[in-house]
Amino acid sequence: MCRIISGDTMATGQIFSKTTQALFYNYKQLPIQRMLDFDFLCGRETPSVAGIINPGSEGFQKLFFGQEEIAIPVHSAIEAACAAHPTADVFINFASFRSAAASSMAALKQPTIRVVAIIAEGVPESDTKQLIAYARANNKVVIGPATVGGIQAGAFKIGDTAGTIDNIIHCKLYRPGSVGFVSKSGGMSNELYNSIARVTDGIYEGIAIGGDVFPGSTLSDHVLRFNNIPQVKMIVVLGELGGRDEYSLVEALKQGKINKPVVAWVSGTCATLFKSEVQFGHAGAKSGGEMESAQAKNEALREAGAVVPTSYEAFEGAIKETFDKLAEGGKITAVKEITPPQIPEDLNSAIKSGKVRAPTHIISTISDDRGEEPTYAGVPMSSIVEQGLGVGDVISLLWFKRSLPRYCTRFIEICIMLCADHGPCVSGAHNTIVTARAGKDLVSSLVSGLLTIGPRFGGAIDDAARYFKDAYDRGLTPYEFVESMKKKGIRVPGIGHRIKRGDNRDKRVELLQEFSRANFPSVKYMEYAVEVETYTLSKANNLVLNVDGAIGSLFLDLLAGSGMFTKQEIDEIVGIGYLNGLFVLARSIGLIGHTFDQKRLKQPLYRHPWEDVLYTK
C-alpha cells in the first residue's frame, strides 16, 4: 500500500508491492497476460489483476497464471468492480482518449482506488487538469495520460510496461534492485531499464509519467517518493525538452529535499540544430523558449547537484560511476541473483516457432474463411456472385464439393421450391404454428417443426432412393420388389399419399418428371419408380408415387447420369442422408414463414378443442 500524507499532494512512498492488485478497464488480452506472466516470474502467490471492467459485459475471461488457467471476473461497471474487489487499489485504464477522462474520474472517486494509470494519448488537456486537481486534493496518484505505466521489480507491473518477458528477464526486473527510475517516455524507459541493469544491480521501481503537456504526476513527484523508499539507493531521471517539469526537481534538489544521488539527462539537445521550432514525438516535447530547452534544463540540474553527463551516450557511464561509488561506500548490499521460473509458452506461438506440433480438433473440406474472402469448395465468394450462380450451385459446392452442371443445380432449386411448404395442416407446420403461438422465438418454432421430419413425414427420400436403387440394380421386377417388401413388413418408401390418388396426381411429382425427362441424360431410376407405381395402383388407388419417391429416384438419376460420381460415392451420398437434407432445407423456408405468419397475426396460445379428442378408458 502507498503511504499518504495530508494536504494537496500525492503519495510520498511506495505505491506498489508484491500484493498489489489492479482493476483493468477495457479488456485487452495481451497486456493482461503480460501482467500475469510477470506475476508468475516474480513468484507472486496471487494474480495482480483482480478483475476486468468491460462496459456492457459481465462474466469471466480465461487467462493463464503460469501453467494454470484461471478465470478473471468481468464487471460491467467501475462501481461494481470496486465493490467486488475492495483490495484492488490500482486502476489501469486502457480506454480510448474519448472516454479515458470520464472513466478515470469515476475510478478516482472510488474510496478503494489509490492509483490510476491512463494509457491513452490525446486526452483533452482541460480534462487532465481536472483529474490532476481531484487526485491531489484527495491524496491519490495519477500516472499518465500517454503512459506505458510503471513497474516495481519483482512485485507488480502495469500493462505492457517493460515489454516482453524476454526483455524483462534481460533487464532483471523479476527481482528488485537499488535504482529508482522515472522518465517521460515509455519507449525510452525500456532502453534505460536495459542500461541500468548492465551497470547496476537493477531497478527497484520505474515510472513513465507520460509525454503529454500536463502529466498526472511529475518527475519530481516520483523522485521525492523514491527519496522516501529505503530500498532505493540512487535515482535516475530521463527528461525531455519542452515544459518546465524538470525545474520542480531542480528546486527540490536546491532545497535539500533529496538526499540520494540523482543522475539525470534531458533529451532533445539536438533541437538547437534546427532553424525553426521542432515538435518531437510527445505532445509536451516542444521547446517554448530558452528555459524549456534541453541544454538549459541539463545545466540547471547540474548546478542543483544532480549528476548530469555531457551527452546521452555518457548517461550509462554516469549511472555506473554513481552506483559503483555507493557500492564501494557500503551503501548498497549485493543483490542475491536468482533464476526466474520458465514461463510456459503459449501453444500458438510454440507452433509458429516450430517447437511443438499439435493435432487439430476439426476437419473441414467444404469451406475456408482464412483468406481475403470465404471460399466454397475452393471457389471464392466473389466468383460465385460474379458468375451469377444460384442456391443450387452453392449447395452443389458445399454438399457435393464440386460444380454440378446447370441442369443438376436447377433440379436442386426446383426441389427446394416444390417442397418449401405444403400447407398448415401437415405435422411439421402444425408443430411450428403451435410453438409460435406459445410465444416462442423463431429458432424454437423452426426446430419444433423440423423435429417431426422422419420416416412418416418428409424423411422418406433417402429410403426411397435406397430401396429403388437396390431393386433396380438387382434387376427385380416391380412385382418382385413390392412383394418382397410386403413379406418383410416394410412399406415401400416413396409410394402412397393421404390425399392424392391415381386420378388426382401430385402436381409436384408431375413437374419434376417433366423437367427430368427434358433435361436429364437418363431417367432409368425414375422410370423404374413409375413402373412400381403402376403395380401398386393396381392394389389401391392411393398408392401413387409421392414427392419423396420422385425426388429420391430422380436424384439417383442425377448422380448416375451426370458422370461426376462413382458408384461408391453415390452409395455414400444416399447412406449419409444427403437427400433428406434437401427436404429439411426446403421445408425450413415454409416453417419460418408459418412462424412469421402467426406472429404477424398475433395469434393467441393454441389449445386443442376437446371435441376433437376421443376420451376413453
Side-chain angles (χ1 to χ4, degrees):
M1 294 290 289
C2 55
R3 292 192 288 126
I4 305 293
I5 63 171
S6 60
D8 188 21
T9 186
M10 62 170 277
T12 60
Q14 193 163 303
I15 56 176
F16 306 130
S17 72
K18 207 164 187 172
T19 58
T20 295
Q21 285 195 298
L23 296 175
F24 196 103
Y25 187 88
N26 197 20
Y27 176 72
K28 296 286 187 295
Q29 190 270 340
L30 183 58
I32 296 178
Q33 188 59 65
R34 283 181 168 177
M35 289 179 66
L36 297 175
D37 287 344
F38 180 73
D39 296 342
F40 180 74
L41 199 69
C42 298
R44 282 183 59 123
E45 294 182 1
T46 55
S48 60
V49 181
I52 298 166
I53 304 165
N54 227 26
S57 301
E58 290 187 346
F60 294 88
Q61 279 289 349
K62 295 194 301 178
L63 293 133
F64 284 101
F65 186 58
Q67 193 69 43
E68 180 186 1
E69 194 170 23
I70 61 174
I72 297 181
V74 178
H75 306 275
S76 61
I78 293 171
E79 295 78 9
C82 290
H85 309 285
T87 59
D89 61 358
V90 177
F91 183 84
I92 301 172
N93 195 344
F94 266 75
S96 72
F97 70 91
R98 289 178 291 272
S99 61
S103 48
S104 295
M105 183 61 80
L108 285 170
K109 290 182 178 180
Q110 301 304 309
T112 55
I113 298 299
R114 292 285 173 261
V115 180
V116 172
I118 307 170
I119 310 302
E121 295 183 47
V123 176
E125 293 178 1
S126 58
D127 292 338
T128 303
K129 289 178 181 179
Q130 291 180 24
L131 292 171
I132 294 170
Y134 186 90
R136 291 190 176 273
N138 291 273
N139 302 324
K140 299 191 176 187
V141 180
V142 174
I143 302 173
T147 181
V148 72
I151 186 169
Q152 183 175 323
F156 176 84
K157 89 178 186 89
I158 294 172
D160 291 317
T161 301
T164 64
I165 287 297
D166 287 342
N167 189 64
I168 287 170
I169 293 173
H170 187 72
C171 298
K172 301 180 180 179
L173 294 169
Y174 51 83
R175 52 88 174 139
S178 304
V179 180
F181 171 73
V182 61
S183 166
K184 288 186 176 181
S185 169
M188 288 303 297
S189 292
N190 285 348
E191 183 69 28
L192 263 295
Y193 293 150
N194 193 6
S195 295
I196 291 169
R198 279 199 299 265
V199 296
T200 73
D201 61 4
I203 290 288
Y204 182 81
E205 183 184 323
I207 297 289
I209 65 171
D212 278 4
V213 177
F214 297 100
S217 51
T218 66
L219 297 172
S220 58
D221 287 334
H222 294 285
V223 170
L224 290 169
R225 276 200 313 105
F226 296 157
N227 195 64
N228 292 325
I229 299 174
Q231 296 92 330
V232 174
K233 305 302 181 182
M234 65 175 285
I235 300 165
V236 176
V237 179
L238 179 63
E240 64 185 22
L241 82 164
R244 302 199 176 190
D245 187 11
E246 288 81 359
Y247 289 105
S248 61
L249 176 56
V250 169
E251 290 304 310
L253 286 166
K254 287 181 176 179
Q255 294 170 13
K257 294 180 179 180
I258 302 167
N259 52 30
K260 296 177 180 179
V262 175
V263 183
W265 176 255
V266 179
S267 60
T269 53
C270 65
T272 57
L273 300 176
F274 298 93
K275 294 180 179 180
S276 59
E277 185 177 77
V278 177
Q279 171 73 61
F280 287 79
H282 296 145
K286 180 174 68 174
S287 179
E290 178 60 30
M291 283 193 68
E292 295 186 12
S293 68
Q295 284 84 348
K297 292 181 181 182
N298 280 325
E299 185 58 33
L301 285 165
R302 187 180 293 111
E303 291 178 356
V307 177
V308 180
T310 56
S311 66
Y312 178 78
E313 288 75 15
F315 197 20
E316 184 176 312
I319 295 170
K320 181 181 188 306
E321 184 179 346
T322 303
F323 179 83
D324 289 346
K325 286 180 180 178
L326 290 170
E328 291 168 4
K331 294 183 179 180
I332 292 179
T333 304
V335 173
K336 183 180 179 181
E337 289 296 341
I338 59 173
T339 302
Q342 180 72 36
I343 299 291
E345 188 173 359
D346 289 341
L347 180 60
N348 287 340
S349 62
I351 291 174
K352 286 181 180 179
S353 63
K355 294 180 181 178
V356 299
R357 58 188 180 187
T360 56
H361 297 90
I362 292 176
I363 301 174
S364 176
T365 65
I366 64 171
S367 62
D368 193 336
D369 61 347
R370 293 172 298 175
E372 293 184 3
E373 60 176 316
T375 61
Y376 294 165
V379 179
M381 188 77 69
S382 58
S383 177
I384 293 172
V385 175
E386 289 165 2
Q387 294 179 48
L389 302 183
V391 172
D393 298 284
V394 171
I395 293 172
S396 163
L397 293 169
L398 291 178
W399 290 17
F400 302 104
K401 295 173 55 180
R402 65 204 73 188
S403 295
L404 294 175
R406 182 55 187 152
Y407 76 86
C408 297
T409 60
R410 179 60 182 156
F411 174 76
I412 291 172
E413 291 168 356
I414 291 172
C415 291
I416 292 172
M417 290 188 287
L418 295 181
C419 296
D421 193 53
H422 203 203
C425 298
V426 296
S427 58
H430 182 269
N431 262 27
T432 288
I433 289 169
V434 171
T435 306
R437 289 177 61 166
K440 299 292 285 185
D441 60 277
L442 171 63
V443 174
S444 300
S445 302
L446 171 62
V447 170
S448 174
L450 290 176
L451 287 173
T452 64
I453 296 176
R456 297 183 180 179
F457 169 62
I461 301 177
D462 281 312
D463 284 341
R466 191 176 298 115
Y467 282 111
F468 283 142
K469 183 177 186 301
D470 178 70
Y472 179 87
D473 291 350
R474 288 197 293 138
L476 299 179
T477 66
Y479 168 80
E480 291 171 332
F481 170 49
V482 174
E483 294 304 320
S484 66
M485 294 287 284
K486 183 178 179 181
K487 287 180 182 179
K488 296 174 185 176
I490 303 173
R491 293 181 178 180
V492 178
I495 295 290
H497 202 286
R498 291 178 62 88
I499 299 173
K500 297 300 178 180
R501 298 290 185 268
D503 55 355
N504 179 27
R505 301 296 179 89
D506 190 332
K507 186 65 177 177
R508 297 175 299 175
V509 174
E510 293 177 348
L511 290 169
L512 289 169
Q513 289 174 333
E514 288 174 10
F515 178 84
S516 61
R517 287 189 175 112
N519 294 278
F520 281 27
S522 169
V523 287
K524 61 183 183 181
Y525 288 107
M526 188 270 286
E527 296 295 3
Y528 181 75
V530 170
E531 292 175 13
V532 171
E533 178 193 43
T534 301
Y535 177 75
T536 56
L537 281 174
S538 68
K539 300 281 188 178
N541 198 33
N542 71 323
L543 295 180
V544 295
L545 182 67
N546 59 35
V547 72
D548 290 349
I551 293 175
S553 60
L554 284 170
F555 229 103
L556 290 173
D557 287 323
L558 182 153
L559 296 171
S562 68
M564 300 183 70
F565 299 90
T566 65
K567 182 181 181 301
Q568 181 181 357
E569 287 176 322
I570 294 172
D571 291 339
E572 185 179 52
I573 287 169
V574 174
I576 287 176
Y578 273 55
L579 310 188
N580 279 350
L582 267 183
F583 185 83
V584 171
L585 174 62
R587 193 49 58 94
S588 293
I589 298 171
L591 298 180
I592 291 171
H594 284 295
T595 302
F596 292 154
D597 190 42
Q598 297 302 307
K599 291 186 178 296
R600 183 172 55 247
L601 295 171
K602 298 180 173 58
Q603 290 296 286
L605 179 70
Y606 175 84
R607 190 181 193 280
H608 200 73
W610 62 265
E611 298 93 339
D612 194 38
V613 177
L614 173 62
Y615 295 93
T616 180
K617 296 181 181 178

